[in-house]
Amino acid sequence: MPQRFEVPKDQLPALLQAMPKAELHMHIEGSLEPELIFALAQRNGVALRYPSVEALRAAYAFTDLQSFLDIYYAGASVLLTEQDFDDMAWAYLLKAKADNVVHTEMFFDPQTHTERGVPFEVVIKGLSRACDRAQAELGVSASLIMCFLRHLSEDAALKTLAEALPYRQYFIGVGLDSSESGHPPEKFARVFAQCKALGLHLVAHAGEEGPPAYILAALDVLHVERIDHGVRCLEDLKLVERLAQQGTALTVCPLSNIKLCVFKTMPEHNLKTLLDHGIKVTINSDDPAYFGGYINQNFLATFAGLDLDASDAYTLARNSFEASFVPDTVKQVWIAQLDSAFAPFAS
Ligand code: ADE
Ligand code: ZN
């Protein structure tokens, strides 16, 4: 039985912001704010196509995933040194702390950097330095998931995995991101099999723009533990039933889906329907610097657009802990904190 809570409507936004939560789907390169892009470009002598912060921000009008990715990869071109990666991740982790994120599993795209000649070691050391500092200074638990770019070949992914192996202790799992259409999960079967054998956690973007068949392939061919996005599962009710029955989490990113025109408006988003089907849905920010908000803004916009209530808030936050890749004992500590935050509202 789902737990029920009642909160006066005007107090719900404060509870959404204050409740402890985990973030399971965010790309650290997607947290690069235009101001930081310009500061790093100046620090590193990198030329940008846009004359000002305002001009860059004005270009953030996307029509689909690819139109976003083109700008996102250009933005990442300012990252060159360990300090740059540390600064980027630290800026995000401060925002996460402010949003009462107690645990975050951050994606990074090494190939975006190694293809430009930035060594893998520079990327991973800079990011992990910020993660360590977040635990020590903010009490925020932060881990890294290495994503393979699906528009590149599987051989390129295998080469990246080989490069990453000396740094195995710095990341907890692997994912699959970038242009979805035309790049089905099957393309990465061998590299995911190797990652599984290494004991890495496995996730993949599927069913963001791609069809439900990509979600099935991510489950059955790649053997992923969570599906990133997955919103197109509703086109296959057998798949919906399976996801609900297995307890496979979907890391949904509502503001991203609106910005990339997966849904026209928030009231048309299918997150509530997914919840009603019993799917373990979580709310995440994806690329917060590009899509108009960090995790709490995603919660606020989704709750306003879909008229969700306090019981949904509890379910979504609890799902974020249950679907995280931490030991059960740690999950229980955070769920107990969540229970305390909601105890005054139990009905
Ligand atoms: N890389 C960064 N954001 C992404 C998204 N929403 N989908 C696929 N790849 C991405
Ligand atoms: Zn994503």
Side-chain angles (χ1 to χ4, degrees), residues 25 27 107 177 205 208 228-229 253 286-287:
H25 181 165
H27 303 260
F107 295 142
D177 66 1
H205 284 53
E208 178 186 19
D228 297 315
H229 293 293
C253 305
D286 208 5
D287 300 284

Side-chain angles (χ1 to χ4, degrees), residues 22-96:
E23 177 148 60
L24 306 179
H25 181 165
M26 71 83 53
H27 303 260
I28 196 60
E29 293 90 348
S31 73
L32 258 187
E33 293 286 348
E35 289 78 5
L36 188 53
I37 290 179
F38 271 78
L40 294 179
Q42 193 168 35
R43 182 156 103 188
N44 292 330
V46 175
L48 291 170
R49 253 187 289 152
Y50 299 89
S52 66
V53 164
E54 293 70 34
L56 177 57
R57 201 169 255 126
Y60 292 178
F62 311 115
T63 50
D64 58 10
L65 176 58
Q66 194 58 51
S67 66
F68 154 69
L69 290 171
D70 294 341
I71 287 197
Y72 162 83
Y73 293 129
S77 70
V78 300
L79 296 160
L80 293 183
T81 68
E82 220 173 283
Q83 192 59 50
D84 298 339
F85 288 92
D86 184 344
D87 288 346
M88 169 176 67
W90 183 246
Y92 161 69
L93 288 161
L94 287 173
K95 302 265 195 190

Side-chain angles (χ1 to χ4, degrees), residues 41-292:
Q42 193 168 35
R43 182 156 103 188
N44 292 330
V46 175
L48 291 170
R49 253 187 289 152
Y50 299 89
S52 66
V53 164
E54 293 70 34
L56 177 57
R57 201 169 255 126
Y60 292 178
F62 311 115
T63 50
D64 58 10
L65 176 58
Q66 194 58 51
S67 66
F68 154 69
L69 290 171
D70 294 341
I71 287 197
Y72 162 83
Y73 293 129
S77 70
V78 300
L79 296 160
L80 293 183
T81 68
E82 220 173 283
Q83 192 59 50
D84 298 339
F85 288 92
D86 184 344
D87 288 346
M88 169 176 67
W90 183 246
Y92 161 69
L93 288 161
L94 287 173
K95 302 265 195 190
K97 173 72 180 173
D99 280 356
N100 293 302
V101 170
V102 297
H103 174 67
T104 178
E105 297 177 4
M106 301 145 60
F107 295 142
F108 70 108
D109 286 342
Q111 290 161 297
T112 300
H113 315 298
T114 52
E115 285 223 317
R116 298 180 289 114
V118 178
F120 186 91
E121 181 180 29
V122 165
V123 178
I124 194 101
K125 289 235 169 122
L127 296 177
S128 69
R129 199 160 72 198
C131 292
D132 291 347
R133 187 174 168 206
Q135 183 66 71
E137 294 182 24
L138 307 176
V140 172
S141 153
S143 39
L144 295 168
I145 295 179
M146 174 175 80
C147 285
F148 301 115
L149 297 181
R150 68 202 304 158
H151 67 271
L152 300 180
S153 69
E154 187 181 44
D155 282 345
L158 286 162
K159 186 169 159 260
T160 298
L161 178 60
E163 272 181 293
L165 283 186
Y167 308 95
R168 168 70 183 83
Q169 79 270 25
Y170 292 99
F171 58 100
I172 60 165
V174 298
L176 187 62
D177 66 1
S178 189
S179 322
E180 187 180 6
S181 297
H183 301 285
E186 289 91 332
K187 183 176 158 186
F188 296 91
R190 286 182 305 150
V191 70
F192 268 68
Q194 284 194 18
C195 292
K196 189 173 161 71
L198 287 162
L200 288 158
H201 286 291
L202 308 178
V203 298
H205 284 53
E208 178 186 19
E209 284 191 347
Y214 283 22
I215 301 175
L216 274 167
L219 293 172
D220 292 333
V221 180
L222 303 187
H223 304 290
V224 300
E225 298 159 80
R226 299 192 300 244
I227 297 286
D228 297 315
H229 293 293
V231 292
R232 284 193 60 191
C233 71
L234 274 184
E235 295 167 36
D236 177 349
L237 285 183
K238 248 180 76 183
L239 172 60
V240 168
E241 243 172 63
R242 175 178 169 188
L243 291 168
Q245 197 261 325
Q246 291 181 174
T248 305
L250 302 188
T251 61
V252 177
C253 305
L255 284 175
S256 162
N257 293 152
I258 304 306
K259 281 281 180 186
L260 302 187
C261 308
V262 174
F263 300 96
K264 272 209 210 77
T265 65
M266 196 60 88
E268 292 167 87
H269 198 289
N270 68 10
L271 183 143
K272 172 96 176 87
T273 312
L274 296 170
L275 279 175
D276 290 344
H277 278 282
I279 292 182
K280 195 178 284 239
V281 177
T282 65
I283 286 187
N284 307 273
S285 69
D286 208 5
D287 300 284
Y290 292 89
F291 298 151

